[in-house]
Amino acid sequence: MANQNHVEILKRDVDAWNEWRDANAGVRPDLTRSDLSEADLVLANLAGAELAGANLTLANLRGADLRGADLSGANLIGARLLGVDLVGASLCGADLSTAEDLTEEQLEEALGDERTVLPDDIHRPSHWARVRKVNVAEAFDSFSEYWWPRIVGDVGDMHVKAIKLFGEFVWHQHEEEDEFFLVVKGRMVLRLRDRDIPVNEGEFIIVPRGTEHQTVAEHECHVLVVEPKSTINTGNVTNERTVTKLDWI
């Protein structure tokens, strides 16, 4: 959560904010997930600021200093970015669709990934490589819902998904997709029509396409799944557990 004192100073007056930054040079502003939509942030010193998940929709950031700022997952739709310094800023997972005055030169100095959404006329920098390190434990700690896959990476046409299991899933099959299940924590049982296969922590199992199956976990179980991007979690079944839009973490 954001430091509300930091948010209030910034919203009150940019000049006062910049003076506060000069007087507190060792403090990294925490504006995480703050609502700064339509804020007037012209020439604001936001260098090194924590802005992950912040709402900067339609904010005027003209001439702002965002060097080294963490803007991962931030909403910058329609934001005005004329002259913004993005050197070293993280735009991983940020939404900059319809952002105004954004240039490819600015992005060359920033960090981004395959989740970063850019305006239609802006090309993704070639150095935004798909090399991405993921802390698996932290990925699972970031959500609590069971049976709701989160994407943590991709390999070619495959997604790597983190899923928490508890209880019984629906019987289903995937007509076109094979699935790879790696149990990271706990224990799951893969039920087939003719037998049950326990899969313990540190073990994996592959389910070939067309195989009807059901996943079961008596206690909470953490599983990494690798499967084609076309895969719907409930396969040939549609019910309340069907997830068609997946989030990245």
Side-chain angles (χ1 to χ4, degrees):
M1 293 296 291
N3 183 312
Q4 289 306 309
N5 183 51
H6 296 177
V7 177
E8 290 173 8
I9 295 172
L10 179 59
K11 284 186 172 181
R12 188 184 313 134
D13 182 78
V14 169
D15 289 336
W17 167 265
N18 288 343
E19 291 176 5
W20 178 82
R21 289 298 313 270
D22 290 341
N24 297 272
V27 176
R28 185 170 191 181
D30 188 354
L31 304 166
T32 306
R33 299 190 179 280
S34 55
D35 185 3
L36 298 168
S37 57
E38 301 186 54
D40 184 357
L41 303 175
V42 174
L43 299 177
N45 178 4
L46 294 166
E50 295 281 1
L51 284 156
N55 181 9
L56 289 155
T57 307
L58 300 177
N60 187 354
L61 287 155
R62 179 173 57 82
D65 185 353
L66 283 162
R67 290 174 297 171
D70 183 3
L71 288 153
S72 55
N75 184 347
L76 289 149
I77 295 175
R80 298 174 64 185
L81 302 175
L82 181 65
V84 170
D85 192 338
L86 291 170
V87 174
S90 174
L91 298 170
C92 296
D95 190 343
L96 294 99
S97 57
T98 70
E100 298 182 12
D101 303 311
L102 181 66
T103 67
E104 293 176 10
E105 288 75 15
Q106 286 171 298
L107 296 179
E108 283 292 334
E109 305 297 333
L111 305 174
D113 62 14
E114 68 277 4
R115 300 168 297 155
T116 307
V117 182
L118 300 175
D120 292 339
D121 59 341
I122 297 292
H123 293 94
R124 189 177 305 272
S126 59
H127 70 84
W128 285 13
R130 301 166 73 85
V131 176
R132 181 170 178 251
K133 183 177 76 171
V134 175
N135 184 303
V136 175
E138 290 179 359
F140 279 105
D141 285 344
S142 70
F143 65 96
S144 58
E145 298 87 353
Y146 297 121
W147 307 112
W148 192 286
R150 263 68 171 186
I151 303 172
V152 294
D154 58 5
V155 183
D157 292 329
M158 312 287 281
H159 272 150
V160 181
K161 302 173 183 176
I163 310 176
K164 286 185 176 180
L165 283 55
F166 182 62
E168 297 183 350
F169 200 52
V170 61
W171 279 97
H172 67 286
Q173 66 188 47
H174 302 280
E175 299 296 344
E176 303 295 335
E177 300 98 356
D178 301 326
E179 294 182 292
F180 170 99
F181 294 85
L182 170 64
V183 177
V184 175
K185 180 179 178 181
R187 179 179 186 270
M188 83 171 196
V189 174
L190 182 75
R191 288 181 178 167
L192 305 176
R193 286 303 185 184
D194 60 349
R195 67 190 187 280
D196 291 350
I197 305 175
V199 187
N200 298 309
E201 189 170 310
E203 296 181 333
F204 70 80
I205 192 166
I206 298 172
V207 182
R209 67 194 69 183
T211 303
E212 191 175 19
H213 62 282
Q214 179 189 44
T215 45
V216 179
E218 184 177 352
H219 305 286
E220 181 175 298
C221 178
H222 298 179
V223 178
L224 286 178
V225 178
V226 182
E227 57 192 7
K229 294 178 179 178
S230 60
T231 307
I232 301 297
N233 63 327
T234 55
N236 62 327
V237 175
T238 301
N239 63 11
E240 68 279 359
R241 283 185 169 168
T242 301
V243 181
T244 57
K245 180 175 173 50
L246 301 181
D247 294 326
W248 277 83
I249 55 174

